[in-house]
Amino acid sequence: MALHTSIARCNARVGRASAARVAVKPQYVRGAAQVVAAKKKEVMMWEALREATDEEMERDPTVCVMGEDVGHYGGSYKVTYDLYKKYGDMRVLDTPICENGFMGMGIGAAMTGLRPIVEGMNMGFLLLAFNQISNNCGMLHYTSGGQFKVPVVIRGPGGVGRQLGAEHSQRLESYFQSIPGVQLVAVSTVANAKALLKSAIRSDNPIIFFEHVLLYNIKGETHDGDYCQSLERAEMVREGTDVSIFTYSRMRYVVMQAVAELEKKGYNPEVIDLISLKPFDMETISKSIKKTRKALIVEECMKTGGIGASLSAVINESLFDELDHQVLRLSSQDVPTAYAYELEAATIVQPSQVVDAVEKMCSKVAVAV
Amino acid sequence: MLRSMLSAHLRCSSPAQLAFGSLQVVKQLQRQLSSASTAPAAATAALGETNIQDPADTLEFPGGRVPFTNGLNFLGGPLTPSSPRIPCYRTLDGTGRHIPDAAVPHDLQQPEAVSLYKAMAKLQVMDTICYDAQRQGRFSFFMTCAGEEATVVGSAAGLDPRDVVFSQYREHGVLLWRGFSFDDFANQLYGNSLEPGKGRQMPIHYGSKELHYQTVSSPLATQLPHAAGAAYAMKLDGADTVTAAYFGEGASSEGDFHAALNFAATLGAPCLFICRNNGYAISTPANEQYAGDGIAC
């Protein structure tokens, strides 16, 4: 795929972010006999996303934000809180309620020099913008023979929340993944949220940037300075040997909850956060599978046509001889997400299912020939 | 309107006529729009005469005859001298007193007036309690219709009970009027097994086939094309009912709104579109939502 990477665009060092808790950095005070540990400020994910947006808007006057209630209201999850005070009502634009309209508007602005960040109040509403995203956003760079680029970032809260009902619990990554010409990125930690949003804004490609509705208030530290993270690299969450668990977004935390239990039972799973849902980081994925020889995919989108379905097919095609067990996929049920608490919990993947899957995979021992 | 002038030109007999006419229109419009907005009145001087030519000389067009003009004028819009704003109909003044000459085609008798008032009062009490319950975390979501009780109850009372309602999310007054009980509302809000939706939809997304109230769907304005379609079905059936579609002024920005109205108009479908314009869509005021008098025609 001839997509430019964001690496060339970033003027800061790019590398794999460690997803584990960031180590406390020692600060050496000249002349002092002791090392004083300096703790960085912990912020919530929405604040980290806001910092990224603010920094990029300050750095580049062509960056702007548009969406419903992003200005004076600050955004449905406060990602653009008070930015209108600094950048004005036109650069942090409250649009009328027409997703297909403002998506088209963002694409037109992007083709003629701006770098818009288009916010969907909920990812599910961007289904109304599907035509603009698929027919125009993804296609125009190609159909114009490369003359026009569409440097938009399409972002918003998605995923299954707490009893928000079917239309507010959509996982659009599965619908968008087939669109040629777009890149899909899913954030999961405070650190990668900020670093990835910065990269996405600087990228000349259209990026669909998936945040999760239940992760906005998680706390963590961001990277120092102008740190940008590669949009095409997966993150190693936990190195292991028994099985490669591929996951993304909130399911990373569901998997790590299961891992806590699996560790007690003596298993040593490797956990990889995909980050880049399109294109897949096949280098990281294949390296892991060659090591563990077993692949488990844990995702929140539906079973049918989900990210896992694509990844499973790719793994089977390219790494068949490296596998000792068929690829297992844990996905949501193919039903609309119900509102009732028990029904909702039954449609999405729970940690106990991850534990069961790993036990099932690892109990089959390959007979050496 | 500009569009109809352009389309009239597009059907002229010769390509030369078409090209020349379109050029005049576009050049004039471009000049007017890009000139300083400080002097709109000066910019709207008409070119040429405005009187209609020979009334017998018309353009035959699907949809009717189009008269010709040799004047170049833009009708309506921000550049022309403003026509009076679409007024707001009322029969009671600000103190609640009946205005003497107000037109009241369907007179209200006291028993009916009392039922309407009772429903509005019940609605307001229910809203207050449910809003507090939601803030206490008893269920995830609630929307009141504070200030709009009369809109929903009054319009519901004007409909036939068999008229099918497609609502947005702030019209539970219609359901209350039609007979949805407090228990029914509570069951839906809690998403338990007693409600028709079987706990599948989030709070305030009521639905009742029995009361001809279609289940609410979250994305805005998606119910409007449904309403046009249901009205079309009624027309084919020769039914004596109508559909009533409710929405807010924010939802009228959606593409589905314009499409639905266009469909209902071209199909001649018996659909009533009721817009509750409360001036705000979450935080976006109406003057940022649309440029015009309102969602009215």
Side-chain angles (χ1 to χ4, degrees), chain A residues 354-366:
Chain A
V354 180
V355 172
D356 289 345
V358 170
E359 286 189 313
K360 179 180 164 185
M361 292 179 100
C362 294
S363 62
K364 276 189 184 176
V365 178

Side-chain angles (χ1 to χ4, degrees), chain A residues 68-69 72-73 89 94-100 121 125 128 162-168 337-340 343, chain B residues 139-140 189-191 198-203 205 217-220 250-251 253-255 281-284 288-289:
Chain A
E68 293 157 12
D69 302 290
H72 293 242
Y73 192 73
D89 284 339
D94 281 330
T95 62
I97 306 177
C98 189
E99 286 76 7
N100 206 41
M121 187 175 268
F125 304 150
L128 287 156
R162 286 276 176 271
Q163 297 193 265
L164 297 178
E167 295 106 346
H168 290 93
T337 312
Y339 161 75
L343 293 177
Chain B
F139 38 87
S140 66
L189 294 171
Y190 275 89
K198 300 176 187 168
R200 290 171 184 173
Q201 251 298 15
M202 60 186 291
H205 288 58
S217 173
S218 309
L220 299 177
S253 294
E254 287 282 8
I282 305 186
S283 75
T284 308
E288 284 175 32
Q289 194 68 246

Side-chain angles (χ1 to χ4, degrees), chain A residues 53-276:
Chain A
T53 309
D54 191 5
E55 284 168 23
E56 294 304 303
M57 286 182 83
E58 189 161 337
R59 180 182 171 271
D60 184 348
T62 64
V63 179
C64 57
V65 183
M66 54 185 69
E68 293 157 12
D69 302 290
V70 296
H72 293 242
Y73 192 73
S76 51
Y77 289 90
K78 298 290 173 249
V79 172
T80 51
Y81 186 72
D82 271 3
L83 288 182
Y84 79 99
K85 288 184 182 169
K86 191 170 166 187
Y87 299 106
D89 284 339
M90 286 301 272
R91 264 184 93 188
V92 186
L93 183 68
D94 281 330
T95 62
I97 306 177
C98 189
E99 286 76 7
N100 206 41
F102 64 72
M103 188 62 65
M105 195 176 107
I107 290 164
M111 290 198 293
T112 49
L114 292 185
R115 307 186 80 87
I117 303 165
V118 184
E119 175 178 304
M121 187 175 268
N122 185 284
M123 271 296 195
F125 304 150
L126 293 183
L127 287 168
L128 287 156
F130 202 99
N131 176 54
Q132 286 290 351
I133 294 170
S134 69
N135 273 329
N136 296 319
C137 177
M139 282 195 194
L140 275 160
H141 182 68
Y142 175 88
T143 57
S144 68
Q147 294 179 82
F148 298 104
K149 57 183 186 180
V150 189
V152 287
V153 176
I154 299 167
R155 51 159 291 273
V160 177
R162 286 276 176 271
Q163 297 193 265
L164 297 178
E167 295 106 346
H168 290 93
S169 307
Q170 297 274 36
R171 280 79 77 197
L172 296 200
E173 58 271 19
S174 39
Y175 305 149
F176 286 143
Q177 63 173 327
S178 292
I179 300 173
V182 295
Q183 252 181 283
L184 270 55
V185 170
V187 300
S188 50
T189 66
V190 172
N192 69 33
K194 182 174 176 182
L196 287 166
L197 185 54
K198 286 168 81 73
S199 296
I201 293 167
R202 295 185 198 188
S203 169
D204 276 350
N205 294 324
I207 313 282
I208 308 183
F209 193 87
F210 292 91
E211 299 153 15
H212 197 285
V213 88
L214 291 180
L215 294 182
Y216 282 110
N217 288 344
I218 62 164
K219 286 196 180 131
E221 288 176 11
T222 57
H223 292 281
D224 276 335
D226 200 27
Y227 188 81
C228 294
Q229 181 170 331
S230 169
L231 295 168
E232 293 96 22
R233 278 260 178 262
E235 264 181 34
M236 179 65 70
V237 184
R238 183 193 186 280
E239 288 198 30
T241 55
D242 292 351
V243 57
S244 300
I245 305 179
F246 301 106
T247 185
Y248 64 93
S249 192
R250 192 185 78 86
M251 284 292 134
R252 169 188 176 136
Y253 297 93
V254 169
V255 166
M256 292 312 287
Q257 238 184 298
V259 162
E261 208 187 306
L262 286 165
E263 278 170 351
K264 286 187 212 148
K265 296 187 177 193
Y267 294 98
N268 187 24
E270 179 150 290
V271 180
I272 290 174
D273 187 334
L274 291 170
I275 301 288
S276 179

Side-chain angles (χ1 to χ4, degrees), chain B residues 15-16 43 68 71 97 129 146 164 177 189 243 266:
Chain B
F68 286 108
R97 287 206 193 91
I129 292 172
V164 179
W177 175 261
L189 294 171
T243 63
T266 52

